[in-house]
Structure formats: structure tokens, C-alpha cells
Amino acid sequence: MTSSSRPTSRRTVLTAFAAAATAGAPLLGQLAAAAPAAAAADPGEYASNTALYKDPALVEGTSYGRRFKRHPAADSDLTAKAAYPRTAILALHGGGIEIGTSELALGIAGYDPGAVTAPALLPATYDYFLFEGLLSTGNKALHVTSRNCDDHVALSLAASHLNVLSLHGCQYDQLGMPEPMVWPPSSDPRLAVVGGLNAEFRAALVREIGAAGIPVVDAFDSRYLDRLQDFNGSHVTNPCNLTMLRRGAQIEMTTELRQSLFGDSSSRSRRAATWDASGGRFEAFRDACRRAIATVEATQPIL
């Protein structure tokens, strides 16, 4: 989820470390200078990734983890132009924070979520960044609102790509959608909400996800605009919009939708092991997003 208040008890040192982060957090060169100032953190959340990383109660590798991949790219030929990565996939609240977003990000990037170190599963691959909650319980305390993300790798990936697709989780009742949007044939409120400032990317995602039989809405659709303003990914410091084009896309997925993408969604290990045991739903969502990316990239030659 990109912006909502999340109550948590893990706040005893938050104020001091948030102040320290504001006063002395390292800058990411021109990227940090170009990005607008971050908004105030939601109550009960870490003010930034810097504040979270400085919390002595948290240990990287035990409390949380980070994974990323940049694919090699080089051009040493003066007469020919080599391909260059144009799209990155982000899961800023992965692991146990917003379940399923890490695995889906890896799938869209072209990898087997259960065997990331193995060769790519699909022919086209995308760079990716994952921040993942690793706690046995209470992972929601690790949530940092997207607009306040200052992780250097995440921001550098966004700044070096034309497109970012950022994946998030939400609860259906947070969206304020009308009850008839509980979709048949299931009684579960499975819904994808597509946001971000790249209207063409949003349109491609809505079209492809809908064609895959997955309930989806555009957060900027006039019918839902007022209801979904907290889920539309429009903030200028949201990493999905800190691309070379200063616009990108994100998908908010309800809990029920994310759970439906796995044979067993109960834990990180079970999700990684059962992404291909969902009756094809994971693959349908993954491939819909990849088709949308391909459609957008086809109009974006590298100059």
C-alpha cells in the first residue's frame, strides 16, 4: 500500500532516528537534488528507509532484506546502437509486509520466484528491486510510505529507466469501492487498482490485466477518482514517478487477489514454492503486466 496510516508498536525510537535521518542522511547526488522534498510520514510509520535502516532494533538479513538485479548492458561499437534496459520492477513492501508483491515482481522481471539465482525463466528480463519484511510476525511495522522511500538502489533504478512498475498490496475495504464490485464468480473482493502518472502505461496495464480475466480499474477513472486518490500513485516523490520521464505506473492489489495467485500464500517459502500452482492465475497476471510493458516500450526508442 502506498499511503495510509498503519498503527504499530515498533515506535519507541522512531522520533530520534527520523530527526537524525533528516539532518544527516546521505544524498544521492543529482537524483536527490532533483526530487521534491518527501511528504511527512504517516502516523506510526518510519519517516524514511534511512530511519528504518538506522533503527538498532532491526537487523538487515533477519528483520528485513533487500534484493536487486541490474542486467549487464554495454556498447563498445561506434557504428551500432546496443539495446538498453528501459523498465524496472519494484516491490517496496515485499516479503511479509504486503504479501505476494516480491514474488510477482520477480515473475514479471522474468525469474522464477523460487529460484532467482537460476537462469531467467522468460526471454525478456527487467531490472528489479525488492525490500522485504522477514519478521515472523509484525512485518507491517516495516512499511515506509512510497513517497518517502529514499533507498539509494531503488531511487537509482527509477532514475535510470524510462519506466517503473511498482507493485503494492492493499485491503479491499480501504479502497471505499461499492459493494457490487465484489466480483463473481468468486465472493472474494479481488481487485487490481492501476495508478501512476504515466497514462499510457496505466491504459496498457488496465487493458491487459482485464483481458486476462482479472478485475481491474484505473485509479484515475472519473468514476473512482475520489475514492482512490490515496491509491493512485500520483505523488511526485513516489519512486514509480522518479523515472527519466518523471512518470510511471503502480498496481495496488487487494489481499484476496494476491492470495489467489499462489497455491499456498501463507508464508514466503510457500509462496515461492507454489506460484505455479494457482491454476494459472499467477502466470496470467505476470504475463498481462509483461505485455503491457512490451506495448509501452515499443513506443520508446532509446535516443
Side-chain angles (χ1 to χ4, degrees):
M1 180 176 168
T2 51
S3 58
S4 69
S5 300
R6 290 175 181 265
T8 177
S9 59
R10 193 181 286 272
R11 289 290 79 92
T12 55
V13 295
L14 174 60
T15 303
F17 281 95
T22 301
L27 297 178
L28 188 62
Q30 295 180 352
L31 189 154
D42 290 329
E45 290 191 347
Y46 284 97
S48 63
N49 288 75
T50 298
L52 185 152
Y53 300 155
K54 288 186 175 183
D55 187 340
L58 303 177
V59 178
E60 184 161 10
T62 301
S63 307
Y64 64 88
R66 290 177 280 180
R67 291 188 279 175
F68 74 91
K69 186 175 182 66
R70 281 184 179 271
H71 295 83
D75 187 346
S76 57
D77 190 331
L78 291 174
T79 62
K81 185 166 62 175
Y84 189 82
R86 286 171 284 183
T87 302
I89 315 299
L90 305 183
L92 301 177
H93 308 133
I97 305 172
E98 294 169 355
I99 66 164
T101 57
S102 295
E103 295 80 11
L104 189 57
L106 290 168
I108 295 170
Y111 292 89
D112 181 336
V116 177
T117 58
L121 196 63
L122 299 171
T125 57
Y126 304 104
D127 294 350
Y128 63 79
F129 170 85
L130 317 172
F131 175 87
E132 300 177 89
L134 304 180
L135 299 171
S136 57
T137 60
N139 282 285
K140 293 190 185 304
L142 303 175
H143 186 275
V144 175
T145 299
S146 294
R147 65 180 184 270
N148 291 336
C149 174
D150 63 352
D151 184 283
H152 293 174
V153 177
L155 295 186
S156 66
L157 273 180
S160 60
H161 289 74
L162 293 171
N163 312 301
V164 160
L165 176 57
S166 189
L167 302 174
H168 298 276
C170 63
Q171 297 175 31
Y172 186 85
D173 58 9
Q174 293 174 315
L175 300 174
M177 299 297 282
E179 282 305 312
M181 294 196 74
V182 175
W183 300 84
S186 170
S187 60
D188 293 334
R190 303 175 187 181
L191 182 63
V193 176
V194 179
L197 294 178
N198 189 325
E200 294 78 12
F201 201 173
R202 289 201 319 271
L205 286 164
V206 170
R207 180 174 61 253
E208 295 293 349
I209 292 172
I214 299 163
V216 60
V217 297
D218 186 333
F220 288 84
D221 187 315
S222 60
R223 293 173 293 176
Y224 315 120
L225 186 60
D226 291 342
R227 300 175 185 270
L228 298 176
Q229 57 184 325
D230 290 336
F231 300 87
N232 65 18
S234 64
H235 202 281
V236 292
T237 63
N238 185 322
C240 81
N241 296 319
L242 292 178
T243 67
M244 283 190 268
L245 301 176
R246 312 307 285 182
R247 59 185 183 271
Q250 70 169 40
I251 307 175
E252 292 270 8
M253 297 168 284
T254 62
T255 303
E256 293 80 6
L257 174 57
R258 286 175 283 130
Q259 290 173 335
S260 75
L261 301 180
F262 303 92
D264 182 349
S265 64
S266 61
S267 68
R268 287 185 299 112
S269 61
R270 295 307 303 155
R271 290 191 295 275
T274 65
W275 65 269
D276 57 351
S278 67
R281 288 184 293 273
F282 183 99
E283 294 91 334
F285 201 115
R286 176 197 68 186
D287 294 347
C289 293
R290 287 172 60 86
R291 286 193 298 272
I293 292 170
T295 296
V296 171
E297 286 190 346
T299 67
Q300 297 174 325
I302 297 295
L303 302 178

